[in-house]
Amino acid sequence: MNTILTPDLFSSNEVLNVILLCLAAFRVWLEIIGFDFQHLPMTRALSQKNGEVGMNNFHRMGLVFSIGYILFFAPAVFI
């Protein structure tokens, strides 16, 4: 069955899409449990250069991209 959601999924690597979907779900789960991204070593090093507010915006955009990936690709994986 071919729907509007599936052409890109089956023309590319399906395993890669599932792995990326799991990583996006893990990123959302980290946000739900209240993980503090400021304690990560790379974030601490970059926050000295870019500022703490800049790194908070960076991690917030990661959350937005993860939610977007889940919304756009999860239906195609589950169909």
Side-chain angles (χ1 to χ4, degrees):
M1 180 172 161
N2 201 2
T3 65
I4 194 169
L5 297 173
T6 57
D8 288 334
L9 181 68
F10 292 117
S11 64
S12 63
N13 190 352
E14 186 176 351
V15 175
L16 178 66
N17 285 329
V18 171
I19 290 171
L20 291 176
L21 186 65
C22 291
L23 288 174
F26 180 68
R27 170 61 179 92
V28 171
W29 179 73
L30 285 176
E31 190 70 32
I32 289 171
I33 66 168
F35 182 77
D36 188 14
F37 292 98
Q38 294 299 326
H39 292 299
L40 295 173
M42 192 168 202
T43 301
R44 267 187 273 147
L46 289 174
S47 67
Q48 293 173 355
K49 184 177 183 181
N50 296 333
E52 192 170 319
V53 175
M55 293 312 296
N56 284 338
N57 291 339
F58 176 76
H59 286 297
R60 186 64 52 197
M61 282 307 296
L63 176 65
V64 169
F65 287 145
S66 295
I67 291 172
Y69 193 85
I70 291 170
L71 289 176
F72 288 120
F73 286 98
V77 170
F78 293 129
I79 286 182

